[in-house]
Amino acid sequence: DFPTSTNVTDAYRQARENSNRPILFISLEDSDPSSEIEDFASSTVGLDSYTVIVMAKDQLDISIALLRECSKKGNWLCLTNLHLVVEWLPTLAREWRKIKEGNVHEDFQLWLVAEHRDGFSKELLECSEKVVYESPQGLRQNMLLLYSNWESSDVWSRVDLQNTNIRMLHFALAWTHCLLQERSWYNQKLNGSHNIQYGRGDLKAAELLICSQSDEYDSLRHLMKDIVYGGKVDDPVALRLISTYIDLIFSRDTVEGKKELMCGIRIPASPEFTSHINTISKIPIDFEYPGLPPNAKYSLEKSKGDQLIKKLKQIEFNVDTNDVKHSKAFVDAASSVVSIWKEYCRQCKQASNENSEKKSDGHDGKHSLNPLEVFLRNERHFGES
């Protein structure tokens, strides 16, 4: 089991406490730390000392050469999409061990990003700090992560402290960005539609618009709708939804805190970072996204359950019944389950007999059974049917 993180900064600090071993991010579905790593590198060592390579067959030799060079100079190197070159990873692990035996610059850091794949190099896993990277679920957690990234990458400190309007527009942007991310995720899971990724590039473009159009609300809304967030959408229903969100959130009354965003939340008038964090912390965990049906969360849970049941039904025991050794091993493994089931059946039969006796005495035994007895009785009934 590997530690799970939604924050590159925390993963880096934890890894540096132990050593300067490579940090391997195993990214889960719809989660990619590459942009966050780049932002963190920009604020820590500068982009001039940071190199990223998207791995492919023609990048293998270049990667080894850059690994040797960066380890001597103390630069940062990030190799992404390692799951596409699984067969090459043992070579990477051996090269790292050779470099480690020599003189490695104390500032050097190797970042590795991969999706989970079978056959991943055990050597590379052993020599790396492993972190499972996943995007947080929910509007509140996503906004807290976004503000944390802004703080660590100096975005917040670069904003003019005296210009309260720009700070308030940043809150509106964080709300919009995270809201659209969550809505897109729900639409993919519920309807099977394409999950539109709103990444760091979209966020940076919106940040530039906020700083240049902070007093031009009409222009700001049009650019947000037609270029930043609506530019990658071709579904008219989704475009109408984005337009409605942006018109509501980036209205002057909403930005200035005169009108609520949703569920009693108003954009804080204070430019202080802690004030924004306190406001975000008040967002309900069970926040209902506008435009979704009330039972959207329940439908999503049901969809997950159906997929799990489908996978369970596909499980097969690959046991050769003609192989005495394997057959005996299977019986030994299943014996504990069978014995528990027999004990359940015995207790269920006993409870059923006691219930029958109570009924024969003129008492209704329906309400005398505790929940466990009812469960056992039903299990027995289903087992016999």
Side-chain angles (χ1 to χ4, degrees), residues 147-175:
Y147 264 76
S148 175
N149 292 338
W150 274 346
E151 183 183 31
S152 62
S153 60
D154 297 331
V155 169
W156 191 258
S157 62
R158 290 198 300 267
V159 176
D160 185 3
L161 183 61
Q162 303 303 319
N163 194 333
T164 305
N165 189 52
I166 292 184
R167 292 275 175 110
M168 298 169 79
L169 283 170
H170 270 77
F171 189 96
L173 171 60
W175 186 284

Side-chain angles (χ1 to χ4, degrees), residues 3 8-25 109-111 128-131:
V8 168
T9 306
D10 293 342
Y12 174 75
R13 290 171 180 168
Q14 182 178 357
R16 297 295 286 192
E17 288 177 358
N18 300 326
S19 65
N20 64 338
R21 298 201 303 169
I23 302 176
L24 170 61
F25 284 98
Q109 183 60 59
L110 176 61
W111 302 83
S128 303
E129 293 288 337
K130 299 163 283 293
V131 181

Side-chain angles (χ1 to χ4, degrees), residues 269-364:
S270 171
E272 297 297 329
F273 186 84
T274 53
S275 176
H276 285 230
I277 294 298
N278 291 337
T279 302
I280 295 171
S281 300
K282 295 177 182 178
I283 300 174
I285 290 291
D286 56 348
F287 177 81
E288 295 186 358
Y289 299 95
L292 286 176
N295 64 339
K297 291 184 179 180
Y298 302 104
S299 299
L300 181 61
E301 293 300 324
K302 183 179 182 301
S303 175
K304 289 181 179 179
D306 292 341
Q307 293 177 7
L308 178 60
I309 292 173
K310 183 178 179 180
K311 290 180 179 179
L312 289 174
K313 288 181 177 180
Q314 293 175 348
I315 294 177
E316 296 180 0
F317 291 101
N318 296 321
V319 178
D320 184 1
T321 56
N322 296 322
D323 189 332
V324 177
K325 180 180 178 181
H326 285 85
S327 298
K328 186 177 184 302
F330 176 77
V331 171
D332 292 341
S335 60
S336 58
V337 178
V338 173
S339 62
I340 292 173
W341 177 256
K342 288 181 178 179
E343 178 63 18
Y344 279 169
C345 290
R346 186 190 64 77
Q347 295 179 11
C348 182
K349 184 175 181 180
Q350 180 180 354
S352 178
N353 292 336
E354 291 176 356
N355 187 36
S356 300
E357 292 175 1
K358 290 180 180 179
K359 285 185 177 181
S360 64
D361 293 337
H363 300 289
D364 185 6

Side-chain angles (χ1 to χ4, degrees), residues 75-106:
N75 294 345
W76 285 10
L77 175 64
C78 179
L79 306 180
T80 67
N81 287 356
L82 288 177
H83 54 277
L84 300 180
V85 289
V86 173
E87 67 282 354
W88 174 75
L89 296 184
T91 302
L92 175 62
R94 288 192 295 270
E95 185 63 32
W96 167 252
R97 292 187 186 280
K98 292 179 182 177
I99 292 175
K100 189 67 175 176
E101 293 173 357
N103 294 324
V104 181
H105 196 286
E106 61 179 1

Side-chain angles (χ1 to χ4, degrees), residues 252-263:
R252 186 177 294 274
D253 287 343
T254 304
V255 172
E256 293 178 354
K258 297 175 182 178
K259 291 176 61 177
E260 292 183 357
L261 279 166
M262 294 159 197
C263 60

